[in-house]
Amino acid sequence: MIKEKLVNSYVRLFGKNINDCHFYFAPGRVNLIGEHIDYNGGHVFPYAISKGTYLLARKRSDDRIRLFSLNIKRDPFIYESLYYDEKIDPNNKWVNYPKSTITMVRKAGYKINSGFDLIYYGNIPGSGLSSSASIEVVIALMLDDLFNLNIGKKEMAKICQSVENVCYGLKTGIMDQFSVIFGKKDNAIFLDCSNLEYEYAPLNLGKYKIVVTNSNLRHTLASSKYNERKQQCEEALADLNKVVKLNNLCELTPEQFNSYKDYIKDDTCKKRAKFVVEEEARTKAALASLKANDFDSFITYINASGKGLKDEYEATAEQIDYLVEESLSYPFCVASRMTGGGWGGNIIAIVESDKIKEYEERLCYSYKMKFDIDTKANVLSCADGARKLDNDLF
Ligand code: GLA
């Protein structure tokens, strides 16, 4: 269906056939645990999902770049010559992610020696599941392939992260781009953000599945709050560094943190740092419990992470707290927490497989009653990362 839609629009807008076109896909992601610690040098535990961004493109013989998004349905956006500008265009918001990614790939020294025509379409539900990283990565993957750039995977993740950091001024870590690129079916990725070493961990939850529900809340302050949290963590680290030598907060165990915490002058910064250090410990413990088939401990860490995000990191929202609490009140849901950046976005819940329909009906109904917001719950299991889909095209 998606392929047909893309192909039909491509032919209508850009040419008679798609013989010399290539087809690419990059997923979104869900983070199981390890929230807000990628930029603190800690471990995260995300996985790629089956929904994401599909892209169809072909090289041109001239310098023009033509972009079209099926999600926007406006006329194609056309650059008359190869584009090189990291400024965000306030009048054409949708075009900024592809544009900025093209710019950052070129800035990293890769040669894009002709124009191209591309169409893309994304089916990630709502915000908070890395739809932006999904666009960045699918664009980078396409450039890498069309122009034989040989961008390594980790390098690609860093370039796509720089789109957020440099072009959007969002001081995000690397979790989203990394998981979109390195996703693996049936596995979550345990990633050490201090050195980008990683391992895959099979996510076998027995009779349970992960259900993701969107709050459909887009907090306008999310980006400034995010940068504020990063700043508070940096302040805490600077205070601690007067007495211990640390590269990042996640080097401390909770016990060590306890003995040094009073060197952090500001109480709010202390609270943020406490969350970070404990979240790092929980994430490592969550991996260990999965490996040991200790499901009970695993869900305890997931729930504790959610609680910390609400009370200590204060990264949730009234609607998110409601969705989590409501989920946990059902006997067939054993764990729930927000996932992603926060102040809106999605929650995850671990729900008995044969009760998912009931879960969705009850949760969506009570959410609508309480906030008058419609939502949907999606089962989103682990899928493969970004890839070329040419074999599916013809
Ligand atoms: C956003 C950022 C990530 C990460 C999460 C919170 O998704 O892009 O780098 O910090 O928030 O864990």
Side-chain angles (χ1 to χ4, degrees), residues 29-35 43-48 175 179 186-190 201-205 209-212 279 282-283 286-287 290 298-299 301-306 309 335-340 347-350 380-382:
R29 66 98 189 90
V30 158
N31 190 22
L32 282 172
I33 188 165
E35 215 66 85
H43 289 81
V44 294
F45 205 6
Y47 67 84
M175 171 175 75
S179 47
D186 299 329
N187 284 262
I189 310 161
F190 185 73
L203 192 64
N204 180 4
L205 300 181
K209 282 204 161 69
I210 296 177
V211 186
V212 180
E279 181 74 352
R282 280 190 288 265
T283 307
L287 173 75
L290 263 190
F298 180 71
I299 58 178
Y301 300 127
I302 300 283
N303 287 329
S305 164
L309 282 162
S336 181
R337 61 179 282 273
M338 84 164 220
T339 184
I347 65 143
I348 55 172
I350 301 184
L380 294 177
S381 38
C382 311

Side-chain angles (χ1 to χ4, degrees), residues 42-310:
H43 289 81
V44 294
F45 205 6
Y47 67 84
I49 57 177
S50 56
K51 290 180 190 287
T53 313
Y54 294 81
L55 184 147
L56 197 58
R58 98 173 127 215
K59 251 176 164 173
R60 295 176 56 90
S61 51
D62 59 17
D63 261 6
R64 291 180 105 197
I65 296 179
R66 297 193 289 180
L67 311 171
F68 185 75
S69 161
L70 280 183
N71 298 89
I72 306 294
K73 296 199 173 90
R74 292 223 207 99
D75 289 342
F77 200 91
I78 298 173
Y79 297 119
E80 287 303 333
S81 60
L82 284 177
Y83 204 77
Y84 194 81
D85 173 9
E86 67 202 44
K87 274 197 238 67
I88 295 298
D89 178 347
N91 301 317
N92 294 289
K93 286 203 172 127
W94 72 271
V95 100
N96 285 317
Y97 279 109
K99 176 183 114 151
S100 311
T101 310
I102 298 164
T103 304
M104 294 321 281
V105 168
R106 297 186 66 195
K107 264 197 121 176
Y110 294 98
K111 247 193 153 27
I112 299 166
N113 52 16
S114 81
F116 45 89
D117 292 333
L118 73 82
I119 280 186
Y120 67 89
Y121 172 74
N123 65 353
I124 297 175
S127 64
L129 298 177
S130 290
S131 46
S132 52
S134 169
I135 299 175
E136 291 150 13
V137 169
V138 84
I139 296 274
L141 181 70
M142 171 214 70
L143 294 173
D144 183 50
D145 184 59
L146 285 188
F147 299 99
N148 297 316
L149 303 179
N150 278 318
I151 310 176
K153 283 181 158 193
K154 288 184 181 173
E155 163 83 347
M156 187 181 286
K158 287 182 193 163
I159 293 173
C160 291
Q161 180 195 7
S162 74
V163 171
E164 306 286 345
N165 300 163
V166 177
C167 307
Y168 284 83
L170 260 176
K171 300 186 174 154
T172 52
I174 201 163
M175 171 175 75
D176 300 351
Q177 291 78 9
F178 197 96
S179 47
V180 165
I181 293 172
F182 284 84
K184 182 171 165 189
K185 191 170 186 305
D186 299 329
N187 284 262
I189 310 161
F190 185 73
L191 168 66
D192 182 342
C193 297
S194 70
N195 57 15
L196 299 191
E197 279 173 18
Y198 66 101
E199 68 176 272
Y200 290 111
L203 192 64
N204 180 4
L205 300 181
K207 65 172 181 171
Y208 295 93
K209 282 204 161 69
I210 296 177
V211 186
V212 180
T213 305
N214 202 292
S215 63
N216 281 327
L217 185 73
R218 202 181 260 276
H219 203 300
T220 45
L221 289 177
S223 45
S224 56
K225 294 260 182 214
Y226 188 101
N227 284 353
E228 181 191 89
R229 292 297 178 278
K230 180 154 196 282
Q231 165 73 37
Q232 289 164 338
C233 292
E234 279 165 3
E235 216 175 300
L237 181 64
D239 283 347
L240 289 171
N241 259 329
K242 289 175 192 148
V243 279
V244 266
K245 202 79 222 99
L246 295 172
N247 294 311
N248 57 60
L249 286 178
C250 288
E251 286 172 6
L252 290 176
T253 62
E255 295 71 33
Q256 288 167 330
F257 178 77
N258 255 333
S259 55
Y260 294 126
K261 66 176 193 286
D262 290 332
Y263 290 101
I264 304 174
K265 285 192 235 89
D266 181 87
D267 282 344
T268 306
C269 296
K270 196 186 290 181
K271 189 158 72 164
R272 307 297 187 232
K274 175 174 182 287
F275 167 80
V276 167
V277 170
E278 289 177 354
E279 181 74 352
E280 167 72 355
R282 280 190 288 265
T283 307
K284 289 180 178 157
L287 173 75
S289 64
L290 263 190
K291 284 184 171 169
N293 280 323
D294 180 358
F295 182 69
D296 289 347
S297 301
F298 180 71
I299 58 178
T300 312
Y301 300 127
I302 300 283
N303 287 329
S305 164
K307 212 172 161 324
L309 282 162
K310 173 175 176 282

